Structures are given as C-alpha cells and as structure tokens.
Amino acid sequence: MAVIGNDITFAKQLLDANRLVGIPTETVYGLAGNALNEDAVLEIFKVKQRPSFDPLIVHAANLEQIRCFVKEIPNEVELLAQKLWPGPLTILLKKNGEIPDLVTSGLDTVAVRIPRHPLTLSLLNSLEYPLAAPSANPFGYISPTKTIHVNQQLGDSIDYILEGGDCQIGVESTIISFEEKIPTILRLGGQPVEYLKEILGEVKVNEHSSSEPVAPGMMKSHYAPSKKLVLNGQFDLYKQYSAAEIGVLVFGELHKEIPIINQSVLSQTGNVDEAAKNLFSAMRELDQKSDVRIIIADAIPDFGLGKAINDRLKRASAE
Ligand code: TXA
Ligand code: MG
C-alpha cells in the first residue's frame, strides 16, 4: 500500500526522481508524473494498464509555464483560460517539441489544464515541469474521488498519495477543442456546457465522442463498474432479480421496494452538483456489495453537471 499524507516536499522528491504520486484535484484524483520525462510517462501507462494510443492530460501551475510547451495560445482561448483556470476545464492546444510524443500518443495537440486543488497547485508551483496525470484508476474502471479509492487499486504500484480530502466536483474535467471554427466539447465534465456557451457563444458537443474517439479515450465502455448497470430507474424490466440483488443509485427519495443498504444516495434533495460529487463513490460502493447483481440508476436531469453524470452513466451501462 502507498503512504497517504500531505507532505508536498516528499511528493516533489519522488516526482523529481521520475516516480509517480497520487494527487488530488477538484475533479478526481490523478496519477501524476513528470510530463517532460519519458520514463515517468511510460510508468504512468504501465501502472494504469492504459493503451499507448490514449493520450494524457498535462497539469500546469500557470499560463507562463504552459506557454513553454505549446506553439501558441489563441486570444479567444487565453481569455477563456483566464476566466476559468484554475478549474475543471481541459483545453487542447498545439504542442511544441517540449512534450514527449508519448504523452499525446503522437497527436499534435496536448490537453492542458490548471487544476484548482490548493495542495496540488502548491505542488505544481514547486516543480520545474508540468505533471502528466490521468485519473488514478486502472484503465476503464471508475475514477477515484477519495485517497482510499486510489490506494485500493494502485497502492501496490506507487509510493505516495497526497491527501486532499474528497474531490469537490467528482466528475472529470470538461475537454474542449478549438481546432474547428466552432469550439467543440470532446468530453462533458466538471465545467457545465451552459456556462461555456454563455462565454463563447456557439459550442458544439461531440455526440460521437463515445464511439468514434476524437479523444481516443472516449470509448463507450468507460467508467464502468464490473456489474451490469442500467439507466433511468426502469425497475419493472428487471423482475428476474430479487430486491436484495438490486442496487440503486438514488436521486431523490429512497425506493420502498429495495433494502436500504442497497441504495446509494447521490442526492436526496435532487441537487445535480451534490450527485456529481457522490457519483463515483456510490458506484464503487454498489459494485463492491456482494449480494448486488445489477445496479439501476434513477433518472438524472440533463442540465449542468447532470449532463456529465448522464454521460458517465451511459458509458458505464454500455456492454
Ligand atoms: O479531471 C480530469 O481531467 C482528470 C484529473 C486528474 O485532471 N484527468 C483525467 O484524465 O480525467 P484521463 O486520462 O482519465 O482522461 C483524459 C482524456 C482521455 O479520454 C484522453 O483521450 C483525452 O483526455 N485526451 C488527452 N489528450 C488528448 C488530445 N491531445 N486530444 C484529444 N483527447 C485527448
Ligand atoms: Mg480516466
């Protein structure tokens, strides 16, 4: 198991030696290594069992640092970044030679963000390089929102996890590309689309991202628990399961017909932000209950972070 603590100096020592560290962000925990060092980057792919065609997000301390490894930051993009960074938005920018091709899986763009967690921001500010960090889960499984999630799954492969508490937002960052005339969202996430539209005007959401990856990691069966998951509370379709075999991701009131211990509450008051924060740990909880054979998710309203929740649930329910 990895040691969990809040020693930034120790985390820096490990990272300087091209070792990996679990880091908190406002979205989910990341598995971080020196983005400019090929050995560290290779180790990330290995520990995560991630295919090499799925590129990593690079986390930076500030815009000045980002300027050192991208070709340019267009004006429109810089204005957006100044407004929303640090925060749960990842922006694709044309990379220069500083970033190894390994990080970007050979693409000419690099995905960049400045995360908002104070501990990780202090760490980034103490480093002379940016951090490549995918979510700290084995490839294809649910992202971690607590240090214990990271330790359970990757604790044998890394030495240290920075304790940053429960992630405030709970779903991964929104990914946006400016490669086309109309800004395009490649992954729905912690930065709501409605707000991006307010700032940018027209914004496209890439509906195909789940099956025809522009973002290579956007495969359909992502974020998946190991059990079957179905959407929108369609209980009557699952009469072959007994009540004790059904787990529910609850949005709103509890279900009288299901044992209470099988119900993981996302938000009892119907709040989508609260639901996003609880989503991944609730999915894990039901996935780990031995009696439960199927997980049924209540319907979630499709606005704000509800859109990102629905996206993750859809992917998790894909066969
Ligand atoms: O909130 C987050 O974004 C978290 C925290 C740790 O920052 N990170 C995260 O990383 O979710 P990861 O690796 O689990 O997801 C990154 C996604 C992948 O689907 C990948 O395909 C896409 O970003 N991506 C990375 N670089 C890309 C690029 N140059 N072009 C298109 N998609 C890219
Ligand atoms: Mg991930």
Side-chain angles (χ1 to χ4, degrees):
M1 286 286 134
V3 174
I4 297 176
N6 54 14
D7 188 345
I8 293 179
T9 312
F10 182 51
K12 174 174 159 51
Q13 277 168 13
L14 289 168
L15 292 164
D16 284 348
N18 298 320
R19 309 269 285 278
L20 308 186
V21 173
I23 59 164
T25 84
E26 76 280 33
T27 57
V28 299
Y29 274 80
L31 173 65
N34 179 351
L36 307 185
N37 181 277
E38 295 203 346
D39 293 333
V41 174
L42 272 175
E43 184 68 11
I44 293 176
F45 279 96
K46 195 173 123 200
V47 167
K48 227 186 118 81
Q49 295 174 290
R50 181 176 180 118
S52 59
F53 59 77
D54 193 5
L56 307 177
I57 295 178
V58 173
H59 299 67
N62 50 52
L63 273 168
E64 284 52 56
Q65 187 180 44
I66 293 171
R67 274 186 236 287
C68 302
F69 60 81
V70 303
K71 283 200 172 133
E72 61 155 350
I73 308 180
N75 278 342
E76 173 194 24
V77 177
E78 176 150 353
L79 287 175
L80 180 73
Q82 277 167 352
K83 236 189 170 99
L84 297 181
W85 280 346
L89 181 72
T90 294
I91 302 177
L92 298 194
L93 294 167
K94 283 263 184 286
K95 83 182 195 77
N96 69 20
E98 289 294 307
I99 299 281
D101 287 336
L102 264 176
V103 172
T104 59
S105 304
L107 298 174
D108 65 351
T109 53
V110 57
V112 189
R113 84 179 187 103
I114 303 177
R116 203 167 58 202
H117 198 288
L119 204 57
T120 290
L121 268 180
S122 313
L123 174 66
L124 281 166
N125 274 297
S126 76
L127 301 173
E128 270 133 42
Y129 45 83
L131 291 175
S135 52
N137 51 285
F139 183 70
Y141 195 67
I142 306 163
S143 293
T145 53
K146 300 172 189 283
T147 44
I148 189 180
H149 299 159
V150 182
N151 220 0
Q152 276 169 358
Q153 294 189 302
L154 303 181
D156 290 339
S157 315
I158 59 177
D159 299 309
Y160 198 61
I161 306 169
L162 273 178
E163 176 59 79
D166 293 1
C167 297
Q168 282 301 308
I169 293 178
V171 288
E172 300 86 345
S173 60
T174 301
I175 303 180
I176 191 164
S177 159
F178 291 88
E179 296 282 286
E180 290 169 47
K181 229 166 125 201
I182 303 170
T184 307
I185 288 173
L186 301 182
R187 177 175 73 182
L188 293 161
Q191 185 66 66
V193 184
E194 292 90 338
Y195 191 55
L196 290 168
K197 281 189 177 151
E198 243 172 65
I199 300 172
L200 296 169
E202 206 179 348
V203 169
K204 250 183 358 191
V205 178
N206 192 340
E207 302 289 347
H208 299 294
S209 58
S210 57
S211 50
E212 296 162 55
V214 173
M218 307 312 288
M219 293 99 167
K220 246 177 141 188
S221 67
H222 237 68
Y223 313 99
S226 51
K227 287 172 188 165
K228 185 178 170 67
L229 185 140
V230 295
L231 301 182
N232 303 331
Q234 294 161 306
F235 283 79
D236 27 338
L237 294 179
Y238 297 96
K239 296 219 167 78
Q240 71 267 40
Y241 296 95
S242 71
E245 290 173 336
I246 295 179
V248 188
L249 291 168
V250 179
F251 189 79
E253 283 176 23
L254 290 167
H255 298 264
K256 290 191 191 70
E257 61 276 44
I258 306 291
I260 284 198
I261 51 157
N262 284 10
Q263 303 193 53
S264 279
V265 177
L266 299 180
S267 169
Q268 214 149 9
T269 57
N271 178 309
V272 287
D273 293 345
E274 187 188 12
K277 184 167 190 244
N278 291 327
L279 178 70
F280 289 148
S281 60
M283 279 166 77
R284 275 173 192 265
E285 197 178 290
L286 292 179
D287 206 28
Q288 285 164 8
K289 282 222 162 79
S290 53
D291 291 348
V292 170
R293 290 177 53 214
I294 184 168
I295 300 169
I296 301 184
D298 281 342
I300 311 282
D302 207 41
F303 60 79
L305 293 190
K307 279 187 189 293
I309 298 175
N310 283 324
D311 173 81
R312 302 306 185 270
L313 288 174
K314 255 180 244 161
R315 287 175 206 282
S317 70
E319 297 288 326

